[in-house]
Structures are given as C-alpha cells and as structure tokens.
C-alpha cells in the first residue's frame, strides 16, 4: 500500500518534470525555472493559502525567472516521501510536520515533546525566537535540507470512534494512529494505548475500515480531512503543539544569488504570516462545523493525569539527547512568561 503510494508520488513527479507541468507553455514559461513546492493539506487549508501568497510574492518579484508551482494533497507523495524528494532536490520546498523530522535529525525531538509549551503564546514566542530556531533549522545541512520557516498546526488531542476519552485510562487498549515518530510511539505507550504509526493520507481509510479506533490531531483534521464523519468524540487533552516546518533543498537555497535569496526570505515570512492569520479563523470554523454539522462532541478531560503519565518521556529524551537541554531551558523561560490560561481551553 505504502509502496504503491510512494510509486504514485514518484510517477506523478516524473510526469510533472517531463511535461513541465502542462503542454501549452509559452516560450517565456519554458525559459523559467520551476520551483516545486509540495504539501499534504487541501486547497482550503491555511497552509495552501499561505503558499499561494508565497507564490504570488515570488512571481511578482522574480516572475521573469521563476515559476512557483504548489502541489497540495500529497500529490507529490506523503510527507516522508516529500522530505526525501527535497533532500535530493527533485522538489525545492515542502511542508513537513516537525514530528517526522526527528528521524532526519534528532535535534527536532525537542518540539515533539508532550506538554512542552505551557500555552499557545509560549509556543508562538519560542518558534519566533531565532536564537532557538536558527541552530535547529540549519542543523540538517548534511541531510540535504534546511528549514526556512514554521507554520502553526495548533494543538493535538485525541479523537475516537466509539469510546470517549474522558480520562487517560480510557485510552487503554485502543489503537490510535500517531505520526511516524519514535517520540509519538513512546508517548502512546505511556498513555496505555497502542500506537499505529502511519502517514496522514492513510488515516481516513484506516478509521473507516476499523484498523484503528482513533487518532490525534488538531481540529482541522475533523473537517478538512473528514475524520469527524467517523470519530464523534474529540477530547481536549492537548498533549502536543507540534509545528509544521517548511524545508528547502539545501544546495538550491544556498546557491541562490544574494538579491534573490533576500526575496525568497521575504516570501517565507509572508508564508508564515499569512498561514498563521488564516489558521486562527480556520480552527474556529472547524470547531463550529464539527459540532454543528458532523455532530462531534468536544470533551474537556483533566489534563494533569495525561501530563503525569507522559512526564518520563521528557526526562528520557533530555537524558539521552543532551544537546536539547539549552533549548528546553530557554523554552521554560517563555513558559514562565506565558503560562497556561485555564479559560482558553473551554
Ligand atoms: C497536521 C499537520 C500535518 C501532519 C498531520 C499528521 O495536520 O499540520 O503536517 O502531516 O497533522 O498528523 O500527519
């Protein structure tokens, strides 16, 4: 199944490369360099809207030279496939959840830790602090890519088909889809559930077929990906705030001329700002639609029980991966400055 999907993504890409993405290109278009950008969200998602703003800005400023083409909905393969294609330079840019990046460089483990951020404000300040993100974003030169900005993916909570998660004990024995990251598999096992790692695009069918009992994600996955048609209970345990990371092929990015690089950097800023602005209303709308149209029930369990159960994971990761401690300490400073606000959860 996975092999077939990989093959499909690679075939799609080959077709796109060979055809230059359309047969009626003008001479001017043929002389342009195509910048391929892939992501796994729908065309209505804030990420796609952000990337269209990026495309517009680049083409307004460098349109005589570059043609930016944005491929949504896993058209170029799953996120893991797209990261690999970005490593080799087959595509220039892709959006990858921080969760899967830890298998490419373990410095990314930091943002996958459960309950790392005390509040959304703390999370945003950390991700906007170049002292924290710069060394992480530039750590993957040897892996062939570099992060250029981050995107908001809200907070992740459990949602299930039949059994509402009112307390951590309710997860016992349930098969829950997690992202393909060792941290997430360990987190699930500490919570008593059974982790089923798989790509995002496979979740709907797995839920429908009963291969899994639930999943964990932000509210957008209920509506935009239709998971709320199947899962009627969403429990705000908010175990993680995992950013999406926009990565670019290292060689391509660093070979850009200085003035062009500056324009691309501005484009990445526009992408970040547009996506985050869109995100706020998109999540509000998703929550309303899930409740009213899909009949999803939102549950607010006592988080402290979840926090306690997963605490050994943070200790284990910090002890094993010692380079993470300075990042962790800096994040705690932001957590003190922007502590949890109870009313924000209701
Ligand atoms: C979120 C996130 C994606 C990720 C997905 C997942 O939607 O924005 O980048 O792929 O979760 O759970 O796989």
């Amino acid at each position: 199944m996975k092999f077939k999907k990989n093959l499909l993504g690679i075939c799609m890409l080959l077709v796109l490369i060979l055809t230059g993405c359309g047969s009626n290109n003008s001479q001017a278009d043929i002389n342009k360099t195509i910048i391929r950008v892939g992501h796994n969200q729908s065309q209505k998602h804030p990420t796609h809207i952000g990337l269209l703003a990026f495309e517009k800005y680049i083409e307004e400023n460098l349109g005589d030279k570059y043609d930016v083409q944005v491929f949504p909905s896993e058209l170029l393969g799953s996120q893991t496939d797209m990261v690999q294609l970005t490593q080799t330079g087959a595509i220039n840019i892709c959006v990858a959840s921080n969760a899967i990046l830890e298998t490419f460089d373990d410095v990314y483990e930091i943002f996958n830790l459960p309950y790392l951020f005390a509040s959304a404000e703390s999370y945003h300040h950390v991700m906007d602090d170049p002292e924290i993100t710069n060394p992480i974003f530039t750590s993957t030169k040897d892996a062939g890519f570099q992060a250029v900005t981050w995107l908001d993916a809200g907070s992740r909570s459990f949602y299930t088909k039949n059994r509402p998660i009112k307390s951590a004990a309710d997860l016992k024995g349930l098969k829950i889809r997690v992202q393909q990251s060792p941290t997430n598999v360990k987190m699930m096992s500490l919570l008593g559930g059974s982790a089923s790692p798989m790509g995002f695009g496979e979740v709907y069918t797995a839920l429908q077929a009963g291969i899994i009992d639930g999943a964990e994600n932000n509210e957008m996955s209920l509506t935009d990906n239709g998971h709320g048609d199947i899962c009627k209970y969403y429990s705000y345990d908010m175990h993680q705030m995992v950013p999406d990371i926009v990565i670019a092929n290292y060689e391509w990015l660093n070979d850009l001329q200085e003035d062009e690089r500056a324009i691309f950097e501005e484009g990445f800023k526009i992408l970040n700002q547009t996506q985050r602005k869109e995100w706020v209303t998109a999540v509000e709308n998703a929550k309303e639609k899930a409740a009213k149209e899909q009949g999803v029930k939102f549950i607010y369990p006592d988080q402290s029980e979840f926090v306690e159960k997963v605490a050994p994971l943070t200790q284990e990761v910090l002890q094993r991966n010692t380079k993470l401690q300075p990042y962790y300490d800096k994040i705690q400073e932001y957590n003190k400055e922007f502590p949890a606000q109870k009313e924000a959860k209701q």
Side-chain angles (χ1 to χ4, degrees), residues 98 109-128 132-133 136 150 152 154-155 237-243 303 307 314 327-328 330-336 338-341 345:
N98 188 88
E109 277 185 336
I110 188 73
F111 300 132
N112 294 339
L113 293 175
Y115 298 109
L116 175 68
F117 302 111
S119 62
E121 291 73 23
S122 173
Y123 164 48
H124 293 162
H125 278 88
V126 167
M127 295 310 298
D128 281 338
I132 298 179
T133 56
I136 298 177
W150 69 281
D152 204 348
S155 69
D237 66 283
M238 298 171 109
H239 50 266
Q240 281 165 317
M241 293 180 194
V242 179
Q303 284 182 5
V307 175
T314 300
Y327 299 111
Y328 186 79
K330 193 98 184 40
I331 294 169
Q332 297 318 308
E333 286 171 26
Y334 278 110
N335 282 344
K336 268 193 214 128
F338 303 100
Q341 287 176 4
K345 290 175 197 137

Side-chain angles (χ1 to χ4, degrees), residues 40-41 45 47 79 95-98 152-153 156 177-179 198-201 203 216-218 220-221 225 242-244 279:
N40 69 354
Q41 306 287 1
H45 194 278
T47 292
Q79 275 191 349
V95 181
S97 170
N98 188 88
D152 204 348
R156 299 180 77 94
R177 179 269 172 168
V178 294
Q179 289 174 288
M198 65 180 80
F200 194 36
V203 182
E216 50 79 55
N217 212 323
N218 58 56
M220 289 288 296
S221 59
N225 305 91
V242 179
D244 278 338
W279 180 262

Side-chain angles (χ1 to χ4, degrees), residues 54-221:
F54 167 77
E55 173 180 352
K56 184 166 174 273
Y57 180 77
I58 298 300
E59 291 182 351
E60 269 167 12
N61 287 279
L62 295 169
D64 51 337
K65 195 159 170 201
Y66 295 111
D67 174 12
V68 178
Q69 299 184 356
V70 182
F71 299 93
S73 313
E74 295 196 6
L75 273 173
L76 300 182
S78 70
Q79 275 191 349
T80 309
D81 297 334
M82 286 190 280
V83 174
Q84 285 164 0
L85 291 169
T86 308
Q87 286 183 295
T88 63
I91 63 179
N92 306 78
I93 298 169
C94 79
V95 181
S97 170
N98 188 88
I100 65 158
L101 290 182
E102 73 176 24
T103 57
F104 293 87
D105 194 298
D106 66 1
V107 71
Y108 280 100
E109 277 185 336
I110 188 73
F111 300 132
N112 294 339
L113 293 175
Y115 298 109
L116 175 68
F117 302 111
S119 62
E121 291 73 23
S122 173
Y123 164 48
H124 293 162
H125 278 88
V126 167
M127 295 310 298
D128 281 338
D129 182 344
E131 253 187 64
I132 298 179
T133 56
N134 269 356
I136 298 177
F137 284 6
T138 50
S139 67
T140 49
K141 178 181 176 198
D142 291 343
F145 67 86
Q146 177 181 327
V148 290
T149 190
W150 69 281
L151 306 177
D152 204 348
S155 69
R156 299 180 77 94
S157 290
F158 293 107
Y159 51 93
T160 42
K161 272 173 91 166
N162 301 316
R163 189 194 297 169
I165 308 302
K166 294 185 181 154
S167 73
D170 291 325
L171 283 164
K172 198 164 173 52
L174 290 189
K175 277 193 241 102
I176 303 288
R177 179 269 172 168
V178 294
Q179 289 174 288
Q180 291 134 310
S181 109
T183 305
N184 283 352
V185 173
K186 283 182 211 149
M187 178 186 72
M188 219 38 251
S189 110
L190 286 171
L191 287 170
S194 158
S196 295
M198 65 180 80
F200 194 36
E202 294 170 69
V203 182
Y204 185 90
T205 319
L207 283 169
Q208 210 176 30
I211 294 166
I212 49 175
D213 302 300
E216 50 79 55
N217 212 323
N218 58 56
E219 301 88 333
M220 289 288 296
S221 59

